Amino acid sequence: MSNIKPETGAFFQRDRQWHPPAYAPDYKTSVVRSPQRALLSFDNTLSEITGPVFGHSILGELDNDLIHNFAKPGESAIGQRIIVHGRVIDERGKGVAGALLEFWQANAGGRYRHKREGYVAALDPNFGGCGRTITDDEGYYRFRTVKPGAYPWPNGVNDWRPAHIHFSVFGHGFAQRLITQMYFEGDPMIWNCPIVRSIPDKAAIEQLVAGLDMNNTIPMDARAYKFDIVLRGRRSTLFENRMEGN
Amino acid sequence: MVQQLGFLKETPSQTAGPYVHIGCTPNFSGIAGVYESDLGIAMVNDKTLGERITIRGRVFDGTGTPLRDALLEIWQADSNGLYNSPSELRGAADPNFTGWGRCPTDMETGEFVFETIRPGQVPYKDGRLMAPHVTVWIVARGINIGLQTRIYFDDQKAANDQDPILMRIEHKNRVNTLIAKRDGSAYLFDIHLQGDKETIFFDV
């Protein structure tokens, strides 16, 4: 993973007013799954500063191609072909190299390939819905998929999730661990969704909306969406044990 | 006016949802043939140093019902107290121990199981040793931002009594929520998201 010196500083404190609160009653499942006591706060120890890092050797050739990684030979998933790409950076604007990203999503009709899922929309026999990749030395990533459909869920009587792709992100420290969802520019469902609206600040919600990126669209093949991800930044270790700079 | 500090905002968290397994443990969820095996299912191999232990438990919601759609990840030091991470500068960790594991709760019983080793002690910032512990991260439908906690061990009482994090806990009757109980050859660690037995979760 390049010649960059490993960083050992503690992470910037999380802004928990920016993230969704644990208890967001319009998202009904959160009511009994949210802690009621205050969190115990302490500055990062080595247990949070360190974290697993994954090598490119874990990746298969089609891991970042959801159009083909579950498809029969010569076939492909049905739906709007898109490229999702972007950069993983930290709060200081530094690229995060070697970050493992995992993504999962419904198919073009809004149906997930999961035994607990019973939506009437059909499964696509050529679409599994999972993929993963690792960022390059500058933090860039990309994958290819079909645009997922909206789907209904039993929350309110008539609640529908906007089209979205789930992201699981590993940085370099376990305290950077993050799961989030990416939404698509212009989708009117975004602003009705109780899961989206668990985030109090509109500017924070907009950080989850990927823009249509015509510059990276491949003519006659696939459109592109750009989704940058920001992980927690880290402090200098100057005033701890070592005299290292910023 | 002063110069802007220029820091970005962290990407906000969202729930992992009920189908987190599709992305994180596809073989477990029945999607075969995309990845050879699910990441994080094996932390140890034949050559791993240290005492083998099993940690098992369930995650309960505020009504006492086990979560059957949660995903847990753990992160811990090797038997010498070293982390298998580039940010570990104190020495090389055991190459036969990943330090990281991932387990979905069973879709029927809600149980999670980790086959790992007893971690060595890791120093706190001021040099005092923390008691052996395993860091836990929990995501699920209904959890908007991953919950972090730690597992300590009930047969490490002397070390636990000196642990800088456990010593910070104001309500001593809650310390027990972080202590796994020896149960035959395994340690039992149940997690309560809410209510009288609520586990202590961290903001770290």
Side-chain angles (χ1 to χ4, degrees):
Chain A
M1 197 178 54
S2 79
N3 295 321
I4 297 163
K5 191 170 58 172
E7 294 188 290
T8 57
F11 293 100
F12 297 171
Q13 195 188 336
R14 226 167 210 162
D15 180 355
R16 289 180 180 269
Q17 307 300 311
W18 182 255
H19 287 283
Y23 176 74
D26 289 344
Y27 174 25
K28 292 183 180 180
T29 314
S30 78
V31 172
V32 293
R33 294 186 172 193
S34 45
Q36 293 166 327
R37 311 291 208 283
L39 302 177
L40 178 71
S41 298
F42 56 90
D43 196 18
N44 290 169
T45 72
L46 277 167
S47 306
E48 293 80 34
I49 288 166
T50 58
V53 171
F54 302 88
H56 286 79
S57 62
I58 68 165
L59 300 178
E61 200 181 340
L62 294 177
D63 281 7
N64 66 347
D65 182 356
L66 283 69
I67 293 178
H68 295 108
N69 69 11
F70 193 76
K72 290 184 263 307
E75 299 187 16
S76 57
I78 289 172
Q80 298 178 30
R81 295 162 62 90
I82 58 170
I83 292 158
V84 178
H85 75 110
R87 196 167 177 226
V88 181
I89 49 184
D90 75 11
E91 289 167 301
R92 301 165 300 175
K94 292 180 77 162
V96 181
L100 173 66
L101 305 180
E102 298 163 295
F103 8 86
W104 64 101
Q105 62 168 91
N107 70 20
R111 176 74 185 267
Y112 281 96
R113 185 174 288 279
H114 193 282
K115 54 187 88 161
R116 285 269 177 82
E117 147 78 289
Y119 181 34
V120 294
L123 283 169
D124 177 346
N126 290 309
F127 187 74
C130 62
R132 60 187 179 186
T133 189
I134 292 176
T135 57
D136 69 14
D137 282 352
E138 293 173 309
Y140 288 99
Y141 76 92
R142 60 194 286 123
F143 63 96
R144 176 156 79 152
T145 187
V146 293
K147 190 175 175 187
Y151 69 88
W153 58 301
N155 187 64
V157 171
N158 192 22
D159 278 341
W160 292 71
R161 296 302 324 281
H164 64 277
I165 299 176
H166 296 264
F167 277 71
S168 161
V169 190
F170 289 82
H172 295 167
F174 204 52
Q176 286 178 306
R177 197 75 184 80
L178 181 73
I179 279 185
T180 190
Q181 302 183 28
M182 179 200 112
Y183 304 99
F184 292 86
E185 179 183 358
D187 185 344
M189 307 297 294
I190 293 171
W191 307 102
N192 297 327
C193 175
I195 289 177
V196 173
R197 289 161 65 122
S198 67
I199 299 172
D201 189 324
K202 185 164 185 283
I205 294 173
E206 284 168 344
Q207 200 174 347
L208 298 182
V209 182
L212 175 65
D213 175 9
M214 290 306 290
N215 283 343
N216 281 291
T217 287
I218 303 173
M220 308 303 287
D221 183 340
R223 287 183 305 160
Y225 282 88
K226 187 164 192 290
F227 184 56
D228 290 337
I229 296 167
V230 181
L231 299 180
R232 297 169 71 179
R234 358 178 50 135
R235 295 202 304 264
S236 160
T237 50
L238 187 61
F239 297 109
E240 292 175 14
N241 300 327
R242 284 171 296 275
M243 288 298 284
E244 291 175 7
N246 283 299
Chain B
M1 288 291 285
V2 296
Q3 290 185 3
Q4 294 286 315
L5 294 180
F7 294 120
L8 303 170
K9 295 300 287 185
E10 188 186 7
T11 296
S13 175
Q14 290 268 262
T15 179
Y19 310 126
V20 59
H21 318 102
I22 295 174
C24 293
T25 54
N27 291 291
F28 171 83
S29 76
I31 300 175
V34 181
Y35 309 150
E36 244 172 56
S37 63
D38 292 334
L39 268 190
I41 53 167
M43 301 176 69
V44 298
N45 63 36
D46 299 346
K47 296 184 205 133
T48 306
L49 304 174
E51 179 195 345
R52 299 291 196 280
I53 62 170
T54 301
I55 301 171
R56 61 172 75 240
R58 290 185 290 174
V59 183
F60 295 92
D61 71 15
T63 74
T65 306
L67 272 61
R68 293 167 301 156
D69 53 11
L71 182 81
L72 282 79
E73 291 183 6
I74 63 173
W75 173 242
Q76 65 164 93
D78 70 7
S79 58
N80 290 315
L82 294 170
Y83 282 104
N84 193 345
S85 160
S87 299
E88 173 60 86
L89 300 183
R90 296 171 298 145
D94 180 355
N96 292 301
F97 182 61
T98 66
W100 176 77
R102 172 185 271 173
C103 184
T105 57
D106 186 276
M107 288 191 195
E108 304 301 327
T109 65
E111 192 176 56
F112 62 84
V113 182
F114 290 100
E115 301 294 344
T116 181
I117 53 136
R118 184 188 299 283
Q121 288 188 264
V122 176
Y124 189 61
K125 283 181 299 186
D126 59 11
R128 283 183 291 164
L129 288 177
M130 295 190 279
H133 66 274
V134 171
T135 300
V136 187
W137 185 72
I138 306 156
V139 293
R141 173 173 68 102
I143 295 177
N144 289 322
I145 181 166
L147 296 169
Q148 264 219 32
T149 187
R150 283 187 181 186
I151 300 172
Y152 289 86
F153 301 95
D154 69 346
D155 49 11
Q156 305 289 313
K157 185 170 187 314
N160 292 344
D161 286 346
Q162 298 298 314
D163 182 83
I165 304 300
L166 294 179
M167 286 168 72
R168 281 191 58 144
I169 298 169
E170 180 189 351
H171 302 104
K172 295 299 172 202
N173 60 336
R174 298 192 67 207
V175 171
N176 264 336
T177 68
L178 303 183
I179 316 272
K181 311 284 184 294
R182 188 107 209 185
D183 176 32
S185 61
Y187 287 93
L188 183 67
F189 189 73
D190 282 338
I191 295 162
H192 297 268
L193 298 182
Q194 196 183 78
D196 290 344
K197 292 187 275 186
E198 188 173 307
T199 302
I200 297 178
F201 297 105
F202 301 154
D203 175 25
V204 277

